[in-house]
Structure formats: structure tokens, C-alpha cells
């Protein structure tokens, strides 16, 4: 049974002791990529059934440091999936209108509907990460959010949404290499942001914030997975395994045909 990297609730972890390197979990990149493609085919099929069944919902949350691989994960995981059945939402700095509401308002509006898969590129967790690290609101405001998030996710779960949360764990060295590539490669220049360099200075504070988030918001109904993400091929495989396993458990079925179709004659 391959390691799923599910964050264990009971054991006190330090994030810095959790692996960023996927190579130790899989010996061979080619084999991993072959397995990944086979699983993706199965994912495409299961998604069709989920959509046709029109009962259950799946929400996939992606969080990571800048250059952690959220965009690449979405590109790789969703390739070939029927776009009608999937919605990707990228959460940016909140607008004035969003800030005038509670922090879950903009999130709740776009959670997946029946039959749908929702993918969050960043999420409500930014409100206990960037917001905490940069003191955008005082602790008296962000600390109660852990519990508010747990209750919100419980509501989604109780009303038919399976939730998978992936933290893509890269090392600080890996982030440096990826930022450097954004400087060096013309077609990656657009991704380079001076702000990201500012945030990099707060790396230990971000790790502390992620660590507490994992401890406070890993629940039975909405588990966190800490994915070793330095190697993209391993990251893709580990995430895809968890998604496909979850969809197998959800076991979506094509609806029953409408009566006896054998009797129908089309004029
Ligand atoms: P990107 O993912 O590169 O498009 O950048 C989106 C930016 O929006 C990141 O710098 C996030 O930290 C920021 N962001 C997302 N959600 C929030 C939030 N709730 N409060 C403040 N900043 C946020
Ligand atoms: Mg960015």
C-alpha cells in the first residue's frame, strides 16, 4: 500500500520533519508516470459517472508556498477531464466587496454543486496563513477561524461533499530554484513577482502557520495530505492516487435507464 501522506491527527508533527522529497517514496520516475496516466484515465471515467449520477460532490483544496506547484498540479490532474463537470477557482487578494463580508462568504458561493468536482487554487486557508503571517487582522480575529473552518467543512461534508485538502510541501531550496527559473526562462517571466520574494523572507513564519493549520484543521471529515512536492512527477502521482481512491469509495453510478429502452423506436 503506497504512502498516502495523510496528516496523522494523533502524532505531533513538525512540518520541517515531513519530507519534501518524493524520490524516497518511488524508485522510478518512468514507472510513476505510467501509473499516473493509468490513474488519470480512471479519474476521467469516474468523473463522467459522478456527473451523470448528479448526487455527490467532490472538493479538492490546494495550498502551497509560492511556486509550490498548485498551477502545475491542476494542469496535470485535470487533463482530459470533461470541463463541464469541473470548476477551478483561484482565490486572490480579496476584493472590497469580499472584505465587507465574513471570510467564508466568497468560498461558500463557489463550492461544488451536485455531480461536480470543485478545485480550489488557494482557499479559505489563506485567511489563517498569509493573513496571519502579515498581521492583516489581529490574532483575536484569525484564531477562531480554525474552528469556523472546521464547522464550515463539516456542513459541506454533511450535505454530501467529500473534501480532500493537499498541502504541496516544497523545500526552501526548491522554491529558490523555481523562482530562478521564472527569472531565467522567458515564458516563465510572467510568473515572477517581487512580492513573492518578500514573502520568502517569512518562510519560518509560514511554516509555523501551516503547521498549526494542519494540527487544527485535520478532521475526519476533511483530512489534510502533506504531499512531498519537490519532484512534480511524484507530487502528481501521490495526489492522483488519493483522488482516485476517494472516487472509488464514492462509487458514483450512471443513473438507471428511463424504462425499457429496447421498446423505443425512433421514427
Ligand atoms: P497567485 O496565487 O500568484 O495568483 O497570488 C494570489 C495572491 O493572493 C497570493 O499572494 C495570496 O497570498 C493572496 N491571497 C489569497 N487569498 C488571500 C486572502 N484571503 N487574504 C489576503 N491575501 C490573499
Ligand atoms: Mg504568484
Amino acid at each position: 500500500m503506497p504512502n498516502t501522506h495523510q496528516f496523522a491527527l494523533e502524532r505531533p508533527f513538525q512540518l520541517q520533519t515531513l519530507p519534501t522529497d518524493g524520490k524516497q517514496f518511488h524508485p522510478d520516475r518512468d514507472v510513476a508516470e505510467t501509473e499516473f496516466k493509468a490513474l488519470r484515465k480512471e479519474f476521467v471515467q469516474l468523473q463522467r459517472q459522478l456527473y451523470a449520477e448528479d448526487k455527490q460532490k467532490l472538493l479538492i483544496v490546494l495550498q502551497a508556498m509560492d511556486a509550490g506547484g498548485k498551477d502545475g498540479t491542476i494542469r496535470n490532474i485535470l487533463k482530459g477531464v470533461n470541463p463541464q463537470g469541473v470548476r477551478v477557482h483561484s482565490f486572490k487578494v480579496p476584493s472590497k466587496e469580499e472584505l465587507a463580508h465574513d471570510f467564508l462568504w466568497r468560498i461558500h458561493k463557489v463550492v461544488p454543486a451536485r455531480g461536480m468536482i470543485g478545485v480550489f487554487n488557494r482557499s479559505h486557508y489563506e485567511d489563517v496563513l498569509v493573513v496571519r503571517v502579515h498581521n492583516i487582522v489581529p490574532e483575536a480575529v484569525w484564531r477562531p477561524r480554525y474552528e469556523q473552518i472546521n464547522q464550515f467543512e463539516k456542513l459541506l461534508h454533511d450535505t454530501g461533499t467529500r473534501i480532500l485538502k493537499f498541502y504541496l510541501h516544497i523545500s526552501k531550496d526548491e522554491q529558490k530554484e523555481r523562482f530562478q527559473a521564472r527569472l531565467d526562462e522567458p515564458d516563465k517571466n510572467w510568473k515572477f513577482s517581487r512580492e513573492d520574494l518578500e514573502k520568502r523572507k517569512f518562510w519560518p513564519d509560514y511554516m509555523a502557520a501551516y503547521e498549526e493549520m494542519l494540527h487544527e484543521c485535520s478532521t475526519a471529515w476533511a483530512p489534510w495530505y502533506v504531499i512531498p512536492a519537490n519532484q512534480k512527477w511524484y507530487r502528481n502521482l501521490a495526489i492522483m492516487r488519493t483522488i482516485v481512491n476517494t472516487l472509488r469509495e464514492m462509487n458514483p453510478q450512471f443513473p438507471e435507464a428511463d424504462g425499457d429502452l429496447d421498446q423505443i423506436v425512433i421514427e
Side-chain angles (χ1 to χ4, degrees):
M1 176 64 190
N3 192 329
T4 66
H5 307 291
Q6 183 167 351
F7 189 78
L9 295 165
E10 63 280 5
R11 274 186 288 164
F13 268 120
Q14 277 199 312
L15 196 47
Q16 65 194 29
T17 67
L18 294 182
T20 51
D21 203 325
K23 280 185 295 215
Q24 57 184 298
F25 297 101
H26 205 296
D28 189 310
R29 177 176 176 161
D30 287 342
V31 176
E33 286 177 347
T34 304
E35 187 192 338
F36 174 73
K37 284 183 187 147
L39 286 172
R40 189 165 61 190
K41 256 188 160 163
E42 190 177 343
F43 176 43
V44 168
Q45 182 57 30
L46 285 163
Q47 185 274 331
R48 291 178 73 166
Q49 289 167 220
L50 188 85
Y51 185 77
E53 182 192 61
D54 196 25
K55 283 190 182 144
Q56 310 178 72
K57 312 142 186 172
L58 177 64
L59 174 61
I60 297 166
V61 173
L62 299 174
Q63 284 290 158
M65 294 295 284
D66 293 309
K70 299 181 297 296
D71 296 316
T73 298
I74 291 170
R75 225 172 27 244
N76 283 283
I77 296 283
L78 294 183
K79 193 171 163 186
V81 172
N82 177 7
Q84 277 209 96
V86 184
R87 298 274 183 281
V88 178
H89 295 279
S90 297
F91 293 97
K92 309 285 181 185
V93 177
S95 69
K96 225 174 149 186
E97 187 186 21
E98 287 168 346
L99 283 174
H101 293 80
D102 72 84
F103 77 106
L104 292 170
W105 180 74
R106 66 173 182 163
I107 309 291
H108 205 165
K109 280 200 296 191
V110 294
V111 297
R114 274 192 329 233
M116 299 292 293
I117 297 178
V119 181
F120 285 178
N121 181 345
R122 304 186 189 270
S123 66
H124 41 303
Y125 284 98
E126 291 294 323
D127 291 282
V128 289
L129 292 166
V130 65
V131 166
R132 165 183 172 160
V133 170
H134 300 286
N135 294 312
I136 296 173
V137 298
E139 180 166 355
V141 174
W142 61 254
R143 184 156 292 282
R145 288 180 175 168
Y146 295 122
E147 185 55 25
Q148 291 160 355
I149 288 172
N150 288 342
Q151 291 306 319
F152 169 63
E153 292 179 349
K154 180 83 168 49
L155 168 76
L156 297 181
H157 171 85
D158 289 349
T159 49
T161 306
R162 281 292 290 259
I163 305 171
L164 297 173
K165 302 181 297 197
F166 297 102
Y167 166 56
L168 316 181
H169 192 27
I170 59 165
S171 61
K172 198 176 175 199
D173 285 345
E174 180 65 22
Q175 190 194 49
K176 182 178 180 183
E177 281 185 28
R178 293 184 187 186
F179 281 175
Q180 193 62 50
R182 290 177 177 187
L183 289 172
D184 296 344
E185 296 172 34
D187 62 353
K188 290 188 179 169
N189 285 170
W190 69 277
K191 279 203 154 191
F192 181 79
S193 139
R194 284 175 176 78
E195 254 170 57
D196 292 355
L197 288 186
E198 279 308 302
K199 284 200 260 164
R200 178 175 165 81
K201 294 183 187 155
F202 291 85
W203 187 276
D205 297 331
Y206 271 102
M207 289 304 108
Y210 268 108
E211 201 169 289
E212 191 155 13
M213 170 201 87
L214 290 166
H215 282 294
E216 295 296 327
C217 298
S218 291
T219 54
W221 57 87
W224 270 111
Y225 296 84
V226 182
I227 303 294
N230 278 1
Q231 287 80 25
K232 297 167 185 171
W233 55 269
Y234 182 74
R235 170 201 77 198
N236 292 341
L237 175 63
I239 292 175
M240 190 58 104
R241 278 175 173 162
T242 299
I243 293 173
V244 169
N245 274 331
T246 302
L247 279 164
R248 284 178 187 154
E249 277 174 31
M250 291 167 79
N251 194 21
Q253 302 292 321
F254 286 120
E256 290 287 316
D258 183 8
D260 188 354
L261 300 188
D262 288 347
Q263 304 304 314
I264 297 180
V265 178
I266 301 171
E267 307 268 321

